[in-house]
Amino acid sequence: MIVCKFGGTSVGDAAAIRRLAAIVSGRQEERPVVVVSALAKVTDALLALEQAPTGAGFISRLKAIIDRHEQVARELGIPDAAITRIREDARSLEHWGTARDHARWSAADRDNVASLGELWSSRLVAATLAAADLRTSWVDARHLIATDGQHGQATPDQPEIRRRASRVVAPLVEAGMVPVTQGFIGATPDGHTTTLGRGGSDYTASLLGAALDAGRVEIWTDVDGLLSADPRIVPNAILLPEATYQEAAELAAFGAKVLHPATQLPLIDAGIPCWVLNSFAPDRPGTRIVPGAKPSHNGCSPVRSIAWKKGITVINVQAARSLGAPGFLWQLFTVFARHSVAVDVLASSEVNVSVTIDETGRLAQLVEDLESLGQVTVFERRAIVAVIGIDLRGTRGLSARLFGAVKDVNIEVISQGASEINVTFVVKEEDGPKAVQALHREFFDAG
Ligand code: ADP
Ligand code: ASP
Ligand code: MG
């Protein structure tokens, strides 16, 4: 059994869904389970309805989303009956466009609305596979992906997912069916729809892969695999034919959107390989992510890839007393924990601690609490640039090359990750792409 996940651009229009059908057909012998994202940009469009003007403005935006699904359905020759359900779901949203209900979305409402993208795309995909003579079964992921109630960023309950997958999905596969389900969405034990965080369909695929003891998980996307940098910023980024779980996880954690940061977690214990493949060029080799692979060095350079992530806030705390004083860092982190804000990068000196966090709506309260520990300064609209490689700490002369490469960029915080495989910088958001390009030139361009 294998799990094949198709991202937004890989189901973005009728041609993409036809390519998906060809890929899945070619894998029938391997007993595929299909996981799909919403059509490209549909999740954004659904969530943007919250800001739409009330009345006609809201209805016309909703209609544009539905029209797109109808258009794709028509091009695929899907019988009208299959999209009746999509239209019904859309009608159930219309009340959000009235002045009375507008701007009153709770996190749970947002999940309900966002989930429709995957529910709709999966119906189009299931109908297309059925029309291609595959015995297909549409499965509601909310009956599979059990989560807690943290809307927008729910935590999956892996033992429960395993029980449900063997009860619901495995029998379908045994019976020769191709289950088609939604990425990104799940439900609480009492049936409320949740989501796993933006980009979460990759995570769904690996959760199901682990739950089903799959032979591998395939992440089909719009690039050739894991690359040495985001190709939108570095057009000549090179393919990593192989990567370790840890490298993939670091790349994702530092902003490489190609994988959701949690994707590797469920796969590690079982050692299930994960492939990243290009649905626009399915014959290309892709990247194989495996446990303990010995990734080939990039020539003689230890650097394997460069990632960056914007929307970062740096918080500097100048301690009133020594950082070394017992309990200081504990107190500091207790404040972050109390506000449920995760810290990404930490750098400290004798009297100063700098931490980075993702942009948060809770900044003011957080800073107020931190002020009890020392003088707090905040820098917003920053980016983290991460250099990911092998044994970076043990590589002599590396720092000189790193700093030489970014000498024209103002570096604000530097931190060598605990993992030995990354070094991170903080720069102003607008300097992020320039820093990534300079580092890529230094470590990947010949000469
Ligand atoms: P999908 O819709 O298939 O889930 P995403 O848009 O979430 O696709 O992720 C794929 C995108 O990730 C690529 O188009 C690419 O621009 C971006 N990306 C960023 N960093 C990397 C990287 N190191 N390797 C590959 N892709 C990357
Ligand atoms: N459709 C969701 C999103 O845009 C999940 C995903 O694509 O992985 O965030
Ligand atoms: Mg994605």
Side-chain angles (χ1 to χ4, degrees):
M1 195 181 316
I2 61 173
V3 174
C4 305
K5 174 262 173 177
F6 294 84
T9 43
S10 303
V11 292
D13 54 24
I17 295 179
R18 279 196 205 99
R19 277 193 298 273
L20 174 158
I23 291 167
V24 174
S25 291
R27 283 163 160 69
Q28 275 185 79
E29 297 284 286
E30 296 184 275
R31 305 190 299 164
V33 174
V34 177
V35 174
V36 295
S37 292
L39 308 196
K41 304 263 180 352
V42 163
T43 311
D44 287 340
L46 285 166
L47 289 170
L49 288 172
E50 191 175 358
Q51 269 80 45
T54 47
F58 182 97
I59 299 297
S60 77
R61 284 207 205 172
L62 179 57
K63 183 169 179 307
I65 302 172
I66 300 308
D67 285 351
R68 176 149 165 232
H69 287 80
E70 290 192 9
Q71 165 81 19
V72 171
R74 259 196 310 278
E75 283 177 39
L76 288 168
I78 291 173
D80 209 37
I83 65 160
T84 306
R85 186 60 194 266
I86 297 181
R87 289 201 198 107
E88 280 168 15
D89 287 343
R91 262 197 299 281
S92 75
L93 286 185
E94 284 176 5
H95 71 95
W96 287 115
T98 66
R100 185 173 50 84
D101 284 346
H102 206 64
R104 284 205 213 145
W105 294 24
S106 64
D109 295 328
R110 260 175 232 124
D111 276 353
N112 268 319
V113 175
S115 70
L116 293 171
E118 269 70 9
L119 289 166
W120 295 340
S121 65
S122 59
R123 290 194 183 278
L124 299 180
V125 167
T128 306
L129 291 179
D133 284 340
L134 284 146
R135 294 177 56 222
T136 309
S137 177
W138 184 88
V139 177
D140 189 330
R142 292 169 297 186
H143 300 153
L144 290 177
I145 305 296
T147 73
D148 68 3
Q150 211 194 324
H151 287 287
Q153 195 75 52
T155 302
D157 174 349
Q158 289 196 53
E160 181 60 21
I161 293 171
R162 195 177 177 86
R163 278 191 287 278
R164 294 184 188 189
S166 57
R167 210 171 50 223
V168 180
V169 182
L172 293 172
V173 177
E174 294 307 325
M177 311 279 279
V178 178
V180 176
T181 194
Q182 307 81 43
F184 183 49
I185 70 175
T188 61
D190 49 359
H192 294 291
T193 300
T194 53
T195 60
L196 302 176
R198 295 304 308 269
S201 298
D202 305 322
Y203 195 17
T204 305
S206 67
L207 287 164
L208 282 181
L212 292 163
D213 297 317
R216 66 176 186 278
V217 172
E218 294 182 346
I219 306 289
W220 290 91
T221 186
D222 58 359
V223 288
D224 282 348
L226 293 185
L227 304 172
S228 54
D230 185 345
R232 288 180 212 189
I233 294 182
V234 180
N236 64 338
I238 60 166
L239 177 74
L240 307 180
E242 236 180 40
T244 62
Y245 288 139
Q246 197 187 8
E247 270 184 307
E250 298 259 336
L251 254 173
F254 287 108
K257 203 181 148 220
V258 59
L259 288 175
H260 181 279
T263 310
Q264 305 312 315
L265 291 178
L267 304 179
I268 293 173
D269 281 346
I272 298 170
C274 174
W275 290 78
V276 181
L277 295 153
N278 190 343
S279 71
F280 293 77
D283 294 331
R284 298 204 186 138
T287 298
R288 181 166 166 258
I289 305 167
V290 279
K294 294 258 175 302
S296 54
H297 280 54
N298 152 35
C300 56
S301 158
V303 173
R304 300 256 304 150
S305 59
I306 296 151
W308 81 297
K309 180 166 142 189
K310 55 184 179 177
I312 299 294
T313 300
V314 177
I315 301 181
N316 231 0
V317 183
Q318 175 125 28
R321 57 202 174 95
S322 165
L323 286 184
F328 177 84
L329 285 176
W330 179 79
Q331 283 181 329
L332 183 87
F333 284 110
T334 306
V335 175
F336 285 98
R338 201 162 54 235
H339 290 274
S340 305
V341 172
V343 169
D344 272 336
V345 175
L346 165 83
S348 62
S349 69
E350 195 60 15
V351 292
N352 198 74
V353 187
S354 295
V355 299
T356 69
I357 59 171
D358 286 346
E359 264 164 14
T360 165
R362 319 194 49 149
L363 189 61
Q365 301 99 298
L366 184 69
V367 168
E368 200 178 307
D369 279 6
L370 287 171
E371 272 165 350
S372 65
L373 297 173
Q375 197 186 331
V376 180
T377 335
V378 174
F379 303 93
E380 292 183 85
R381 288 190 305 284
R382 294 317 197 244
I384 297 178
V385 176
V387 176
I388 296 154
I390 302 160
D391 189 22
L392 294 183
R393 202 178 290 173
T395 307
R396 290 176 63 193
L398 184 78
S399 303
R401 279 184 81 186
L402 285 176
F403 295 117
V406 290
K407 63 181 182 314
D408 297 330
V409 180
N410 187 19
I411 307 285
E412 299 187 338
V413 183
I414 302 155
S415 167
Q416 180 138 29
S419 60
E420 299 193 1
I421 75 164
N422 80 57
V423 178
T424 52
F425 307 119
V426 175
V427 298
K428 291 204 174 64
E429 216 167 69
E430 62 270 26
D431 289 337
K434 195 164 102 180
V436 172
Q437 286 156 355
L439 288 161
H440 199 273
R441 256 196 315 279
E442 172 66 29
F443 291 105
F444 292 88
D445 287 359

